[in-house]
Amino acid sequence: MATHHHFAVQFPKVLVLRKPSGFAMFGEQFFTSNKFQYLKAYESALPLHEFLTLHAHSVKAIFSSAGAPVTAEILRLLPEVRLVVATSAGLNHIDVVECRRRGVALANAGNVFSEDVADYALGLLIDVLRKLSAADRFVRQGLWPINAEFPLGSKLGGKRVGIVGLGSIGSEVAKRLEAFGCCVSYNSRNKKPSVTYPFYPDVCELAANSDVLIICCALTDQTHHLINKQVLLALGKKGVIINVGRGAIIDEKEMVGCLLRGEIGGAGLDVFENEPDVPKQLFALDNVVLSPHSAVFTPESFKDVCELAVANLEAFFSNKPLLTPFAADD
Amino acid sequence: MATHHHFAVQFPKVLVLRKPSGFAMFGEQFFTSNKFQYLKAYESALPLHEFLTLHAHSVKAIFSSAGAPVTAEILRLLPEVRLVVATSAGLNHIDVVECRRRGVALANAGNVFSEDVADYALGLLIDVLRKLSAADRFVRQGLWPINAEFPLGSKLGGKRVGIVGLGSIGSEVAKRLEAFGCCVSYNSRNKKPSVTYPFYPDVCELAANSDVLIICCALTDQTHHLINKQVLLALGKKGVIINVGRGAIIDEKEMVGCLLRGEIGGAGLDVFENEPDVPKQLFALDNVVLSPHSAVFTPESFKDVCELAVANLEAFFSNKPLLTPFAADD
């Protein structure tokens, strides 16, 4: 009897709207748990609305990956949902305001991707200063045997590097810069009491006192075009800008002008204002390095994030605190 | 009388064979000293042999830069030379054996370039793992708007990195790798008593236990083709090799074959067996990064090296120990 009863147990249901790329990458067993089971909307022939109505009272949480939107309408159809777990750091595909209004908790990727972004920022910095991508082009074009002199780069050690936004990513960047003998200072909304790097409340003053600026902050109304022409001119002719934040933190048009006129020294850009469009004038410049929003992420970190998502779901169904709760004002 | 005598003082002469690039880069005053004066062979209309014969007994030291050879014949013509100072780390343009036989001391660039080489090694590693140069090509070719999916790279953190040659450069590489969360181990002629990283006396065993090999050792009879096919196969399909040592430390032909057959995962190569010739098969591969022997040096380090050269000359003429003496078995 006990055994029979055991098989009849109904695990709480976790809705999955779109097939998570993690299912294909790591196998579905990787995501299984004895605390809940998945309800896969994407395997049903029913229209989503009907499917959700049918399961309205059994779905307790949503596993949101692959950017499948979690709208107010979906939340309305699932009144018992108390948690949305995402495998991304940003939650712009989720109606966060509606979640908050309904008392639905949110969990995200936390800081798992910060190391990847920081690694990439250092890669861009070394590349711009030491001209790595340009060197690779030079060799592949067969120019080395013709013109033995490839221009010298510039040394990392001793460079004054200003970090804009000393959060999780910025702190990882700083840690790496120290190993290269760079001198770190930073700008952020507020001075961090636990940090000993020099703090500049004004980003323009930070630029004036830096050889390199690395943009690591989030894009908000306050940081939109934070890096304007004045900041770029303060950075100066030999100054280098690295952006692993968001394109619109820099006034891109002004930056392109400064690069073309030699008013700044170089740039390493993973993000742009109108992705996937990149200003074509940059393609001709050897002192810039361009990448297609690749700083986040790697399969290794994504695996960690998927593990974290399952752990958040298990914590929730065990009445334990979430590992990486997302506060709406983050 | 004393004043007159002062002006008549003959400073000891330091021979300069070819115009040092440092003279043009930093100005000749940067190299002046009140301990000696330069005798510039390149400004004389006399044939070198005659010029040296004329000054045979006033030249006490040679300042060797820009790769101007210091041959046994030159040393024979200048019997009072007791020091050769070079602005490079390697002294293959100087007849070191003849210097030793004649009791001529040698000074080189010491470890001043080690940080530049280590920075570059990390740049190559991040580039190969995170596909930076390939990403830059992708964007410049205008492919991003057409094909939004650029392949994922691989995370640095947690990678097992084997350093071949844990001298000055290798140690700087290790310091940087730690900041990225890599696990360092090494191979060298002998275990270093002061180092806690795991030591592998056999390079093949190091490769079998590494995700990445970074070649930092000198090229000697013992290290020629040290990285042979067996070592490359031990490194394996996902393994990455970085070479900032010398081309001939790797069996290049075997390495190219392994890359073409997918028997190793990628390579970041600053040096080649027959520079400036680079195997053309590599130009088609996106998992390799190629550079024209650029790891050494930057203007910043070169300035330090020039300062060091002058300091070595001044130490010598003040009967003080050399700052960076070069031992022939280095």
Side-chain angles (χ1 to χ4, degrees):
Chain A
M1 279 293 283
T3 308
H4 175 80
H5 186 74
H6 177 75
F7 279 115
V9 162
Q10 281 290 317
F11 289 114
K13 297 242 165 61
V14 175
L15 176 71
V16 192
L17 289 157
R18 236 182 244 170
K19 186 171 181 179
S21 50
F23 279 24
M25 282 174 84
F26 310 121
E28 225 172 294
Q29 301 91 295
F30 186 82
F31 295 84
T32 56
S33 168
N34 57 4
K35 300 269 191 299
F36 59 85
Q37 69 182 68
Y38 294 105
L39 181 70
K40 300 167 186 169
Y42 58 90
E43 286 188 349
S44 167
L46 290 178
L48 183 60
H49 187 278
E50 277 179 53
F51 181 82
L52 296 182
T53 306
L54 187 68
H55 296 283
H57 295 281
S58 60
V59 175
K60 311 293 180 192
I62 303 176
F63 178 49
S64 164
S65 76
V70 178
T71 61
E73 172 65 6
I74 288 173
L75 292 164
R76 193 185 61 76
L77 290 169
L78 302 171
E80 307 220 358
V81 162
R82 286 289 165 272
L83 172 68
V84 177
V85 171
T87 53
S88 55
L91 300 185
N92 48 304
H93 57 299
I94 295 170
D95 191 332
V96 171
V97 173
E98 182 65 12
C99 284
R100 178 181 254 183
R101 203 186 64 77
R102 291 185 170 264
V104 173
L106 290 157
N108 70 345
N111 297 331
V112 175
F113 290 125
S114 299
E115 295 186 350
D116 281 346
V117 180
D119 292 350
Y120 211 85
L122 263 289
L124 287 170
L125 176 61
I126 302 174
D127 195 332
V128 175
L129 288 178
R130 301 297 305 274
K131 305 180 191 293
L132 254 175
S133 292
D136 182 83
R137 266 198 302 281
F138 178 81
V139 173
R140 281 176 203 254
Q141 288 168 356
L143 295 176
W144 191 9
I146 297 162
N147 172 12
E149 291 294 318
F150 183 75
L152 290 181
S154 182
K155 183 173 174 141
L156 268 82
K159 283 280 183 299
R160 299 165 307 158
V161 181
I163 298 178
V164 179
L166 198 68
S168 167
I169 293 168
S171 304
E172 291 289 340
V173 168
K175 183 176 125 188
R176 285 156 179 73
L177 289 170
E178 287 200 64
F180 289 85
C182 297
C183 308
V184 174
S185 52
Y186 75 105
N187 164 259
S188 62
R189 274 169 299 182
N190 302 298
K191 189 176 189 313
K192 315 259 170 188
S194 61
V195 165
T196 56
Y197 305 127
F199 169 67
Y200 288 87
D202 176 42
V203 72
C204 208
E205 213 187 313
L206 177 70
N209 288 283
S210 296
D211 303 304
V212 175
L213 278 189
I214 304 186
I215 313 302
C216 302
C217 60
L219 175 61
T220 64
D221 290 346
Q222 286 73 46
T223 64
H224 183 267
H225 284 200
L226 175 70
I227 310 300
N228 56 24
K229 187 170 185 180
Q230 194 196 354
V231 176
L232 294 167
L233 293 179
L235 184 61
K237 281 176 192 231
K238 291 192 170 177
V240 165
I241 193 153
I242 304 294
N243 193 0
V244 289
R246 284 292 179 275
I249 298 166
I250 303 180
D251 186 332
E252 189 170 278
K253 201 171 155 231
E254 291 294 352
M255 179 186 64
V256 170
C258 285
L259 282 164
L260 290 172
R261 292 187 298 269
E263 287 163 357
I264 62 171
L269 307 169
D270 185 50
V271 287
F272 302 87
E273 275 207 72
N274 301 302
E275 297 173 9
D277 289 325
V278 177
K280 300 235 175 336
Q281 302 105 302
L282 297 178
F283 294 1
L285 301 180
D286 256 1
N287 56 340
V288 302
V289 181
L290 308 166
S291 60
H293 205 139
S294 302
V296 100
F297 59 76
T298 60
E300 291 88 342
S301 298
F302 188 53
K303 195 169 183 182
D304 290 344
V305 163
C306 290
E307 232 162 43
L308 181 65
V310 174
N312 270 311
L313 287 165
E314 292 198 330
F316 176 76
F317 289 116
S318 311
N319 293 310
K320 289 181 186 160
L322 294 174
L323 284 87
T324 49
F326 178 83
D329 55 349
D330 260 12
Chain B
M1 279 296 282
T3 308
H4 174 78
H5 185 74
H6 177 75
F7 278 114
V9 162
Q10 281 289 316
F11 289 113
K13 297 244 166 57
V14 175
L15 176 71
V16 192
L17 289 159
R18 238 181 244 172
K19 187 173 180 178
S21 50
F23 279 23
M25 282 174 85
F26 311 120
E28 223 173 295
Q29 303 93 293
F30 186 85
F31 295 85
T32 56
S33 167
N34 59 4
K35 299 271 193 297
F36 59 86
Q37 67 181 72
Y38 294 105
L39 181 70
K40 299 167 186 170
Y42 59 90
E43 286 187 350
S44 166
L46 291 177
L48 184 61
H49 187 278
E50 276 180 51
F51 180 83
L52 295 182
T53 305
L54 188 67
H55 296 282
H57 294 282
S58 58
V59 175
K60 310 293 178 192
I62 302 177
F63 178 48
S64 162
S65 76
V70 178
T71 61
E73 173 65 6
I74 289 173
L75 291 164
R76 193 185 61 77
L77 290 169
L78 302 171
E80 307 221 357
V81 162
R82 286 289 165 272
L83 172 68
V84 177
V85 171
T87 53
S88 55
L91 299 184
N92 48 303
H93 57 298
I94 295 170
D95 191 330
V96 171
V97 173
E98 183 65 12
C99 284
R100 178 181 254 185
R101 202 186 65 79
R102 289 183 170 267
V104 173
L106 289 157
N108 71 344
N111 297 332
V112 175
F113 289 125
S114 300
E115 295 186 350
D116 281 346
V117 180
D119 292 351
Y120 211 85
L122 263 288
L124 287 171
L125 176 61
I126 302 174
D127 196 332
V128 174
L129 288 179
R130 301 297 306 273
K131 305 181 190 295
L132 254 175
S133 292
D136 181 84
R137 265 197 303 280
F138 178 81
V139 173
R140 281 177 202 253
Q141 289 168 356
L143 296 176
W144 192 9
I146 296 163
N147 172 12
E149 292 294 319
F150 183 76
L152 290 180
S154 183
K155 181 172 175 141
L156 269 82
K159 284 280 184 298
R160 300 165 306 159
V161 182
I163 298 178
V164 179
L166 199 69
S168 167
I169 293 168
S171 304
E172 291 289 341
V173 168
K175 183 176 123 189
R176 286 155 179 72
L177 288 170
E178 287 200 65
F180 289 83
C182 297
C183 307
V184 174
S185 52
Y186 74 105
N187 164 261
S188 63
R189 273 169 299 182
N190 302 301
K191 190 176 187 316
K192 315 259 170 187
S194 61
V195 166
T196 56
Y197 305 127
F199 169 67
Y200 288 86
D202 176 42
V203 73
C204 208
E205 213 188 314
L206 177 70
N209 288 282
S210 297
D211 303 305
V212 175
L213 278 189
I214 304 187
I215 314 302
C216 302
C217 61
L219 175 61
T220 64
D221 289 346
Q222 286 72 44
T223 63
H224 184 267
H225 284 200
L226 174 69
I227 309 300
N228 56 23
K229 188 169 184 181
Q230 193 196 356
V231 175
L232 294 167
L233 293 180
L235 184 59
K237 281 177 191 229
K238 291 190 168 178
V240 165
I241 194 153
I242 304 294
N243 193 0
V244 289
R246 284 291 179 274
I249 297 166
I250 303 179
D251 185 330
E252 189 169 278
K253 201 169 156 238
E254 291 293 352
M255 179 187 61
V256 171
C258 286
L259 282 165
L260 290 172
R261 291 187 298 269
E263 288 164 357
I264 62 171
L269 306 169
D270 186 50
V271 286
F272 303 87
E273 276 209 70
N274 302 301
E275 296 174 11
D277 289 324
V278 177
K280 300 233 175 337
Q281 303 105 301
L282 297 179
F283 295 0
L285 301 181
D286 256 1
N287 56 338
V288 303
V289 181
L290 308 167
S291 61
H293 205 140
S294 302
V296 98
F297 61 72
T298 60
E300 291 89 341
S301 299
F302 188 52
K303 194 170 185 182
D304 290 343
V305 163
C306 290
E307 234 163 43
L308 181 67
V310 175
N312 270 312
L313 286 165
E314 292 197 331
F316 176 76
F317 289 117
S318 311
N319 293 311
K320 289 179 185 161
L322 295 174
L323 283 86
T324 49
F326 178 85
D329 55 349
D330 261 11

